[in-house]
Amino acid sequence: MRIRLDIAYDGTHFRGWARQPGLRTVQETLETALARVVGGSPRLVVAGRTDAGVHASDQVAHVDLDESQTERMLSRHARPSAAAQTPEDRAHALAARMTGVLGAYSDVAVTGSRLAPEGFDARFSAVWRRYEYRIADTVSGYDPLERHRTTTVRAALDETAMDAAARALIGLHDFAAYCKPREEATTIRTLLEFDWHRDDAGVLVANVKADAFCHSMVRALVGACVAVGEGRLDVDDVVDIRDAQERVPEVKVLAARGLTLTEVGYPADELLAQRAEQTRARRALD
C-alpha cells in the first residue's frame, strides 16, 4: 500500500529534510514515528528536500507499507473495528496515529494522509513546487513573534524594483548563477512565477513557483532581488547574471529562516505515472 502524507514543519531546529548521521532531521523524526505506528523500517519519499532551517506548510511525501504494516496501522488498541476498515480508512487514520506519537505541540505534523492514486510518486509525479519568502525591512519593522519565519534586512527596500527584477527572471533557463553546484546535477529549471508584494503588516513576501528548484536557488534569487531593492543592482543586471551562468559575490544567499515550502502541484491521476517517467529524464534546454 502506498500512502500520501501531507506534512508541515517549523524547520528552525531541524538540520533539513534528509537523514544525516547524528543530526535531527525531518525525515528521521517522521520515519521514527512511523516505525512506532506501523513497525519495520518505513522510508519516506518527499516532493522536495528542504535545507536546514527551511519550513514547510504543505510538504508532500509517500510511504510504501507491506501487508503486516498496513494491518498494524489500526491496532486493536486504536480502534475495535480495525479489521472491518477499508484501505482508504486505514490510510486516512495514519495521520491521527502519527499525531499521537509526535505529540500535540511538535514542530512537525502530518496534517493529512490518504491512499495514493495509481502511479503516484511524491517526488517524480510533481509538476511544480511553490515557496514563499518573507523579509522584514525598515519599512515594515521587526516583529519578534515572526522571527522564526522572517528574515530581517536593515534597509528600506524598493518592492516595485524587486518585483520587476523577479518577473524578468521567469521562464526556462539555466539557473547555474543562482544555484550551489552539485556534481552531475542539472541547473536548468522552468521558473513559472516570481513576484513580490507587501502583506498587511508591510512585510515583503515573495511568491516563487517552478517545476523544480536546485540547491539554494530560491534564497539566491531572493538575494538578487534584495540587491535590486537596495539599489546595488538593477533589473538588467540580474538577467545578465543569470545568462552568464556564473555565481557572483553581489548575489547573496539569504537566510533559511525566511523560506517556506507552501504547495506542491500534481497532474490529474491518470497522468501521474507518465509525469514520473518524464521527470526522471534529465532536463535539457530546447
Side-chain angles (χ1 to χ4, degrees), residues 102-201:
L102 292 168
Y105 297 100
S106 174
D107 50 2
V108 57
V110 177
T111 59
S113 57
R114 61 186 119 154
L115 198 61
E118 184 72 26
F120 177 81
D121 184 294
R123 178 185 179 189
F124 291 113
S125 295
V127 178
W128 48 261
R129 288 90 170 160
R130 187 190 303 277
Y131 282 86
E132 171 185 286
Y133 197 95
R134 295 168 50 84
I135 297 176
D137 64 352
T138 57
V139 175
S140 65
Y142 171 69
D143 181 353
L145 297 182
E146 297 291 336
R147 69 190 185 280
H148 290 308
R149 68 183 191 116
T150 307
T151 295
T152 299
V153 173
R154 295 181 179 178
L157 298 176
D158 182 344
E159 66 267 27
T160 301
M162 292 171 65
D163 186 62
R167 294 177 186 276
L169 293 168
I170 292 173
L172 173 63
H173 302 283
D174 190 329
F175 286 93
Y178 296 108
C179 297
K180 286 187 177 179
R182 287 181 169 175
E183 189 175 352
E184 298 184 359
T186 180
T187 50
I188 296 168
R189 298 289 188 269
T190 302
L191 187 58
L192 299 166
E193 297 176 12
F194 190 15
D195 52 77
W196 289 89
H197 71 277
R198 289 190 185 269
D199 67 10
D200 292 341

Side-chain angles (χ1 to χ4, degrees), residues 5-21:
L5 303 176
D6 297 310
I7 302 163
Y9 47 89
D10 177 343
T12 304
H13 300 298
F14 288 109
R15 296 293 294 177
W17 168 270
R19 275 183 175 268
Q20 300 179 62

Side-chain angles (χ1 to χ4, degrees), residues 133 135 153 155-170 178 191 193-197 204-208 217-235 237-239 241 250-254:
Y133 197 95
I135 297 176
V153 173
L157 298 176
D158 182 344
E159 66 267 27
T160 301
M162 292 171 65
D163 186 62
R167 294 177 186 276
L169 293 168
I170 292 173
Y178 296 108
L191 187 58
E193 297 176 12
F194 190 15
D195 52 77
W196 289 89
H197 71 277
L204 280 159
V205 182
N207 162 56
V208 195
M217 178 176 166
V218 178
R219 293 189 286 142
L221 290 172
V222 167
C225 289
V226 167
V228 172
E230 292 175 329
R232 295 186 289 109
L233 296 176
D234 61 29
V235 173
D237 290 332
V238 298
V239 174
I241 290 168
E250 290 84 1
V251 174
K252 306 297 183 184
V253 176
L254 291 199

Side-chain angles (χ1 to χ4, degrees), residues 74-83 85 89-90 92-93 96-97:
L74 284 182
S75 68
R76 60 186 178 84
H77 302 292
R79 186 173 300 177
S81 57
Q85 299 298 307
D89 292 331
R90 296 179 183 215
H92 282 297
R97 297 290 306 279

Side-chain angles (χ1 to χ4, degrees), residues 55-97:
H55 317 297
S57 60
D58 197 5
Q59 175 71 277
V60 179
H62 77 249
V63 62
D64 292 326
L65 305 181
D66 61 28
E67 186 175 350
S68 65
Q69 290 172 320
T70 60
E71 288 299 319
R72 183 168 166 173
M73 265 199 300
L74 284 182
S75 68
R76 60 186 178 84
H77 302 292
R79 186 173 300 177
S81 57
Q85 299 298 307
T86 65
E88 289 81 5
D89 292 331
R90 296 179 183 215
H92 282 297
L94 183 57
R97 297 290 306 279

